[in-house]
Amino acid sequence: MNLTTVIILVSVLLIGLFAFIGRSLYRRSVRIRNQLQMSYVFTNITHELLTPLTIIDASVERLRKKAPDNRHDYDLMELNIARVVRLLQQILETSKSQAGELRLRVSHGDVMRYIRETALCIEPLMAKKGLEFTIRCKPESMMGWIDTDKLDKIIFNLLSNAAKYTGKEGKVIVDVATNSRYDKIIIRVSDNGTGIPHEKMKRLFTRFYDGEYRKNATFGTGIGLALARDLIYLHRGTIQCESFEGQGTTFIIELPIKKNAFSSSQIDESHQINPEHPHSNIIDLETNVESAQEEDTLEDLSQDEADENAYTLLIVEDNVELLMLMKQLLQQHYHILTASNGVEALQVIQAHDIDLIVSDVMMPEMDGNELTTRIKQNPDYSHLPIILLTAKTQEEDRNESLQLGADDYVTKPFRLGDLQVRINNIIANRRRIRRLFLQQSTEENIEQVKATAPSADNEFLERAIRCLDDHISDSDYDRDAFARDMGASASTLYNKLRAVTGMNVSGFIRNHRIKTACRMAQENPSLRVSDIAYRVGFKDPKYFATSFKKEMGIQPSEYFEQLRG
């Protein structure tokens, strides 16, 4: 065999090898692409289903208020709504796991207490089935790093499985301990139920494997254990199962809890674990669902104040049914305007005076995040508070929206009472700022706004006060001149001042002149009232005296006497 023949043979072999590798890579890429496409399909379908569930839940809430005698029927409806929501959220997590999009965010806190409180939330289900439920943590308290969202789902899936396969008067035990180096926790979930046949063990964590559901007359999707395993692996842990048919099953999970076990991108320094508030995705296990919110009005407000200062809300939602339902329920408390996407919302904002925006995130033409960005980047509208509604439940989705400037973030499905509380909290905070603004000096006002308001409001207020200081003695300096110097229209200046200070343009100018007069009097009490009146831009000392008493509750002559005496 000569060299040429050898070269030809080697070339043919290499071409064949490359062709084989190419076909394999192509098949793999097609398989991955199909998996990603299915993941997107699952994600989109789940998002679409969460919106009508919100409508159903809100309708049940309304019925509960109108006909409270049917309480147990409402409990049952809300119980099943919550169960469907939990299933949809599991599908979302599963599709993200398949697409490699699951992210870990660990926080620091008392790991043992958190696990105990989370497991205790499942106690009503155990009691309903007549099971003896025991939780043992040794030690009872230990600090560490965990992703509470992922750990909630792990505990829920393992304990709900234990409840399914354990008969009445059976036992379910949660044992939590640490290793000798105190860098891991070991969670053992044990039951004395039916156990798992040996031939089923190999496929135990296979996604969509239906296990023994039919045999045990229970419902299952085959998602829970597979998702729990994925979440444990994401947490850099391990899971094992020991089971004997007819005797029971034990799942053993090991999770690292030291900070150095995680990368910097997985560590969330800004939040602490709160063991008093386990995750709400296990609310459906409560035996009775109570209405979480009452029909509260704004705190510290009389009815006259509420009518005089009625807020105008813009609701932006592409689902017509949910949009109309929110409008119907919220218009009892606010003036309501509506839009079906971000483009329409911007047109409404330009045409009307808006006080607060409630917007869905996922919408056609322009979504809620882009709408938030547009609003917060526009100096004419950057003062508007925004609450975003979304079916996305991941912490990174929430953080993205908050970083864009959203003031609050509500996940679907939500209760209208909860949304109203969020709205009221923002409004009440604005009112507190306004009251303090009227009571404090100019310098105190700026510091107060800096401490409680967005940075754009800080810059706006400081610029407004500089404009007035530059023209403090000019009695002809009015709202039109003020608006020109601020580079805004008269209506825009009015809206921003009302949002930040609660005053109209003329009232803000007058208030600043009076506060400047107080500062001048404090610096030089020997000045006459008329001298100060002219220095702060009042043509008529009598009108100055009237304005001073209106703002300060005392005549300027009495105020000056107090300073001198």
Side-chain angles (χ1 to χ4, degrees), residues 505-531:
V505 181
S506 298
F508 180 77
I509 295 174
R510 183 174 59 251
N511 178 268
H512 184 68
R513 292 187 191 278
I514 296 300
K515 287 177 178 176
T516 303
C518 292
R519 190 182 70 244
M520 288 181 177
Q522 291 166 5
E523 293 171 352
N524 189 355
S526 62
L527 286 172
R528 294 186 302 175
V529 172
S530 58
D531 291 336

mmCIF file of all heavy atoms in Angstrom, residues 505-531:
data_model
loop_
_atom_site.group_PDB
_atom_site.id
_atom_site.type_symbol
_atom_site.label_atom_id
_atom_site.label_comp_id
_atom_site.label_asym_id
_atom_site.label_seq_id
_atom_site.Cartn_x
_atom_site.Cartn_y
_atom_site.Cartn_z
ATOM 1 N N VAL A 505 -48.622 75.253 41.937
ATOM 2 C CA VAL A 505 -47.429 76.078 41.675
ATOM 3 C C VAL A 505 -47.447 77.353 42.514
ATOM 4 O O VAL A 505 -46.458 77.702 43.165
ATOM 5 C CB VAL A 505 -47.335 76.420 40.169
ATOM 6 C CG1 VAL A 505 -46.093 77.263 39.904
ATOM 7 C CG2 VAL A 505 -47.290 75.143 39.342
ATOM 8 N N SER A 506 -48.573 78.054 42.518
ATOM 9 C CA SER A 506 -48.650 79.312 43.283
ATOM 10 C C SER A 506 -48.469 79.052 44.773
ATOM 11 O O SER A 506 -47.788 79.823 45.474
ATOM 12 C CB SER A 506 -49.995 79.997 43.034
ATOM 13 O OG SER A 506 -50.134 80.331 41.673
ATOM 14 N N GLY A 507 -49.077 77.973 45.272
ATOM 15 C CA GLY A 507 -48.925 77.633 46.684
ATOM 16 C C GLY A 507 -47.489 77.290 47.041
ATOM 17 O O GLY A 507 -47.012 77.648 48.129
ATOM 18 N N PHE A 508 -46.792 76.611 46.134
ATOM 19 C CA PHE A 508 -45.387 76.264 46.391
ATOM 20 C C PHE A 508 -44.525 77.522 46.445
ATOM 21 O O PHE A 508 -43.661 77.662 47.329
ATOM 22 C CB PHE A 508 -44.888 75.318 45.295
ATOM 23 C CG PHE A 508 -43.466 74.888 45.459
ATOM 24 C CD1 PHE A 508 -43.107 73.914 46.381
ATOM 25 C CD2 PHE A 508 -42.460 75.475 44.697
ATOM 26 C CE1 PHE A 508 -41.792 73.515 46.533
ATOM 27 C CE2 PHE A 508 -41.136 75.081 44.839
ATOM 28 C CZ PHE A 508 -40.805 74.103 45.765
ATOM 29 N N ILE A 509 -44.754 78.457 45.507
ATOM 30 C CA ILE A 509 -43.981 79.711 45.506
ATOM 31 C C ILE A 509 -44.239 80.483 46.800
ATOM 32 O O ILE A 509 -43.304 80.964 47.466
ATOM 33 C CB ILE A 509 -44.361 80.576 44.279
ATOM 34 C CG1 ILE A 509 -43.942 79.867 42.986
ATOM 35 C CG2 ILE A 509 -43.697 81.957 44.374
ATOM 36 C CD1 ILE A 509 -44.419 80.576 41.724
ATOM 37 N N ARG A 510 -45.522 80.592 47.168
ATOM 38 C CA ARG A 510 -45.874 81.339 48.380
ATOM 39 C C ARG A 510 -45.277 80.660 49.619
ATOM 40 O O ARG A 510 -44.722 81.320 50.496
ATOM 41 C CB ARG A 510 -47.399 81.429 48.509
ATOM 42 C CG ARG A 510 -47.858 82.251 49.709
ATOM 43 C CD ARG A 510 -49.368 82.435 49.728
ATOM 44 N NE ARG A 510 -50.072 81.153 49.779
ATOM 45 C CZ ARG A 510 -50.761 80.648 48.752
ATOM 46 N NH1 ARG A 510 -50.834 81.296 47.610
ATOM 47 N NH2 ARG A 510 -51.372 79.484 48.876
ATOM 48 N N ASN A 511 -45.362 79.343 49.697
ATOM 49 C CA ASN A 511 -44.825 78.606 50.837
ATOM 50 C C ASN A 511 -43.323 78.838 50.971
ATOM 51 O O ASN A 511 -42.805 79.038 52.082
ATOM 52 C CB ASN A 511 -45.131 77.115 50.671
ATOM 53 C CG ASN A 511 -44.577 76.270 51.793
ATOM 54 O OD1 ASN A 511 -43.463 75.762 51.707
ATOM 55 N ND2 ASN A 511 -45.360 76.096 52.849
ATOM 56 N N HIS A 512 -42.611 78.820 49.834
ATOM 57 C CA HIS A 512 -41.159 79.021 49.898
ATOM 58 C C HIS A 512 -40.825 80.453 50.316
ATOM 59 O O HIS A 512 -39.863 80.671 51.077
ATOM 60 C CB HIS A 512 -40.526 78.713 48.541
ATOM 61 C CG HIS A 512 -39.028 78.809 48.564
ATOM 62 N ND1 HIS A 512 -38.233 77.929 49.263
ATOM 63 C CD2 HIS A 512 -38.178 79.721 47.996
ATOM 64 C CE1 HIS A 512 -36.954 78.257 49.121
ATOM 65 N NE2 HIS A 512 -36.901 79.352 48.355
ATOM 66 N N ARG A 513 -41.581 81.414 49.852
ATOM 67 C CA ARG A 513 -41.324 82.808 50.256
ATOM 68 C C ARG A 513 -41.507 82.966 51.769
ATOM 69 O O ARG A 513 -40.698 83.624 52.432
ATOM 70 C CB ARG A 513 -42.272 83.747 49.500
ATOM 71 C CG ARG A 513 -42.017 83.859 48.000
ATOM 72 C CD ARG A 513 -42.914 84.944 47.391
ATOM 73 N NE ARG A 513 -42.911 84.949 45.939
ATOM 74 C CZ ARG A 513 -41.980 85.530 45.175
ATOM 75 N NH1 ARG A 513 -40.950 86.124 45.744
ATOM 76 N NH2 ARG A 513 -42.082 85.496 43.857
ATOM 77 N N ILE A 514 -42.561 82.364 52.324
ATOM 78 C CA ILE A 514 -42.828 82.479 53.762
ATOM 79 C C ILE A 514 -41.716 81.788 54.566
ATOM 80 O O ILE A 514 -41.241 82.310 55.588
ATOM 81 C CB ILE A 514 -44.199 81.875 54.114
ATOM 82 C CG1 ILE A 514 -45.335 82.656 53.430
ATOM 83 C CG2 ILE A 514 -44.410 81.831 55.624
ATOM 84 C CD1 ILE A 514 -45.397 84.124 53.827
ATOM 85 N N LYS A 515 -41.290 80.611 54.127
ATOM 86 C CA LYS A 515 -40.223 79.899 54.849
ATOM 87 C C LYS A 515 -38.905 80.666 54.782
ATOM 88 O O LYS A 515 -38.132 80.672 55.746
ATOM 89 C CB LYS A 515 -40.054 78.496 54.270
ATOM 90 C CG LYS A 515 -41.195 77.553 54.657
ATOM 91 C CD LYS A 515 -41.055 76.195 54.020
ATOM 92 C CE LYS A 515 -42.189 75.271 54.464
ATOM 93 N NZ LYS A 515 -42.128 73.957 53.792
ATOM 94 N N THR A 516 -38.663 81.315 53.637
ATOM 95 C CA THR A 516 -37.463 82.153 53.525
ATOM 96 C C THR A 516 -37.559 83.347 54.464
ATOM 97 O O THR A 516 -36.564 83.757 55.090
ATOM 98 C CB THR A 516 -37.282 82.626 52.072
ATOM 99 O OG1 THR A 516 -37.213 81.496 51.210
ATOM 100 C CG2 THR A 516 -36.004 83.437 51.930
ATOM 101 N N ALA A 517 -38.753 83.890 54.604
ATOM 102 C CA ALA A 517 -38.960 85.008 55.530
ATOM 103 C C ALA A 517 -38.671 84.565 56.961
ATOM 104 O O ALA A 517 -38.048 85.308 57.749
ATOM 105 C CB ALA A 517 -40.390 85.531 55.418
ATOM 106 N N CYS A 518 -39.100 83.361 57.336
ATOM 107 C CA CYS A 518 -38.814 82.836 58.673
ATOM 108 C C CYS A 518 -37.312 82.706 58.900
ATOM 109 O O CYS A 518 -36.795 83.042 59.976
ATOM 110 C CB CYS A 518 -39.493 81.484 58.870
ATOM 111 S SG CYS A 518 -41.292 81.541 58.949
ATOM 112 N N ARG A 519 -36.606 82.232 57.903
ATOM 113 C CA ARG A 519 -35.154 82.073 58.051
ATOM 114 C C ARG A 519 -34.482 83.443 58.216
ATOM 115 O O ARG A 519 -33.578 83.603 59.044
ATOM 116 C CB ARG A 519 -34.593 81.340 56.831
ATOM 117 C CG ARG A 519 -33.134 80.925 57.020
ATOM 118 C CD ARG A 519 -32.537 80.248 55.810
ATOM 119 N NE ARG A 519 -32.341 81.169 54.720
ATOM 120 C CZ ARG A 519 -32.944 81.126 53.545
ATOM 121 N NH1 ARG A 519 -33.854 80.187 53.311
ATOM 122 N NH2 ARG A 519 -32.702 82.008 52.595
ATOM 123 N N MET A 520 -34.919 84.429 57.428
ATOM 124 C CA MET A 520 -34.363 85.784 57.545
ATOM 125 C C MET A 520 -34.622 86.362 58.930
ATOM 126 O O MET A 520 -33.748 86.993 59.534
ATOM 127 C CB MET A 520 -34.983 86.702 56.486
ATOM 128 C CG MET A 520 -34.513 86.436 55.073
ATOM 129 S SD MET A 520 -35.279 87.603 53.908
ATOM 130 C CE MET A 520 -34.487 87.127 52.371
ATOM 131 N N ALA A 521 -35.837 86.119 59.454
ATOM 132 C CA ALA A 521 -36.176 86.635 60.778
ATOM 133 C C ALA A 521 -35.325 85.966 61.855
ATOM 134 O O ALA A 521 -34.898 86.622 62.826
ATOM 135 C CB ALA A 521 -37.657 86.409 61.060
ATOM 136 N N GLN A 522 -35.068 84.684 61.702
ATOM 137 C CA GLN A 522 -34.238 83.962 62.671
ATOM 138 C C GLN A 522 -32.795 84.465 62.643
ATOM 139 O O GLN A 522 -32.136 84.581 63.684
ATOM 140 C CB GLN A 522 -34.282 82.459 62.380
ATOM 141 C CG GLN A 522 -35.639 81.821 62.661
ATOM 142 C CD GLN A 522 -35.772 80.438 62.051
ATOM 143 O OE1 GLN A 522 -34.811 79.907 61.487
ATOM 144 N NE2 GLN A 522 -36.965 79.865 62.140
ATOM 145 N N GLU A 523 -32.327 84.812 61.439
ATOM 146 C CA GLU A 523 -30.947 85.306 61.312
ATOM 147 C C GLU A 523 -30.805 86.745 61.789
ATOM 148 O O GLU A 523 -29.751 87.132 62.293
ATOM 149 C CB GLU A 523 -30.501 85.189 59.848
ATOM 150 C CG GLU A 523 -30.358 83.738 59.362
ATOM 151 C CD GLU A 523 -30.125 83.648 57.862
ATOM 152 O OE1 GLU A 523 -30.226 84.708 57.183
ATOM 153 O OE2 GLU A 523 -29.863 82.538 57.366
ATOM 154 N N ASN A 524 -31.887 87.542 61.624
ATOM 155 C CA ASN A 524 -31.831 88.939 62.034
ATOM 156 C C ASN A 524 -33.193 89.367 62.579
ATOM 157 O O ASN A 524 -33.996 89.972 61.882
ATOM 158 C CB ASN A 524 -31.428 89.823 60.837
ATOM 159 C CG ASN A 524 -31.136 91.260 61.248
ATOM 160 O OD1 ASN A 524 -31.309 91.649 62.411
ATOM 161 N ND2 ASN A 524 -30.708 92.064 60.293
ATOM 162 N N PRO A 525 -33.483 89.092 63.867
ATOM 163 C CA PRO A 525 -34.803 89.397 64.452
ATOM 164 C C PRO A 525 -35.123 90.874 64.511
ATOM 165 O O PRO A 525 -36.282 91.251 64.709
ATOM 166 C CB PRO A 525 -34.698 88.815 65.873
ATOM 167 C CG PRO A 525 -33.591 87.813 65.801
ATOM 168 C CD PRO A 525 -32.615 88.371 64.808
ATOM 169 N N SER A 526 -34.135 91.743 64.311
ATOM 170 C CA SER A 526 -34.387 93.182 64.410
ATOM 171 C C SER A 526 -35.033 93.750 63.148
ATOM 172 O O SER A 526 -35.477 94.896 63.133
ATOM 173 C CB SER A 526 -33.071 93.922 64.684
ATOM 174 O OG SER A 526 -32.153 93.726 63.618
ATOM 175 N N LEU A 527 -35.080 92.970 62.076
ATOM 176 C CA LEU A 527 -35.698 93.450 60.843
ATOM 177 C C LEU A 527 -37.189 93.686 61.049
ATOM 178 O O LEU A 527 -37.860 92.963 61.790
ATOM 179 C CB LEU A 527 -35.492 92.432 59.719
ATOM 180 C CG LEU A 527 -34.090 92.331 59.109
ATOM 181 C CD1 LEU A 527 -34.028 91.149 58.153
ATOM 182 C CD2 LEU A 527 -33.730 93.623 58.381
ATOM 183 N N ARG A 528 -37.701 94.680 60.351
ATOM 184 C CA ARG A 528 -39.134 94.933 60.415
ATOM 185 C C ARG A 528 -39.886 93.973 59.506
ATOM 186 O O ARG A 528 -39.347 93.478 58.521
ATOM 187 C CB ARG A 528 -39.424 96.381 59.998
ATOM 188 C CG ARG A 528 -38.870 97.420 60.963
ATOM 189 C CD ARG A 528 -39.309 98.797 60.558
ATOM 190 N NE ARG A 528 -38.875 99.114 59.183
ATOM 191 C CZ ARG A 528 -39.219 100.226 58.542
ATOM 192 N NH1 ARG A 528 -40.011 101.121 59.131
ATOM 193 N NH2 ARG A 528 -38.782 100.453 57.316
ATOM 194 N N VAL A 529 -41.160 93.782 59.827
ATOM 195 C CA VAL A 529 -41.985 92.870 59.040
ATOM 196 C C VAL A 529 -42.076 93.331 57.599
ATOM 197 O O VAL A 529 -41.960 92.529 56.661
ATOM 198 C CB VAL A 529 -43.404 92.748 59.646
ATOM 199 C CG1 VAL A 529 -44.328 91.963 58.711
ATOM 200 C CG2 VAL A 529 -43.347 92.098 61.013
ATOM 201 N N SER A 530 -42.265 94.614 57.387
ATOM 202 C CA SER A 530 -42.392 95.137 56.020
ATOM 203 C C SER A 530 -41.100 94.938 55.230
ATOM 204 O O SER A 530 -41.152 94.636 54.025
ATOM 205 C CB SER A 530 -42.765 96.625 56.054
ATOM 206 O OG SER A 530 -41.782 97.370 56.779
ATOM 207 N N ASP A 531 -39.934 95.097 55.900
ATOM 208 C CA ASP A 531 -38.657 94.899 55.206
ATOM 209 C C ASP A 531 -38.536 93.461 54.685
ATOM 210 O O ASP A 531 -38.137 93.230 53.538
ATOM 211 C CB ASP A 531 -37.485 95.203 56.147
ATOM 212 C CG ASP A 531 -37.389 96.684 56.479
ATOM 213 O OD1 ASP A 531 -37.893 97.496 55.676
ATOM 214 O OD2 ASP A 531 -36.816 97.011 57.539
#
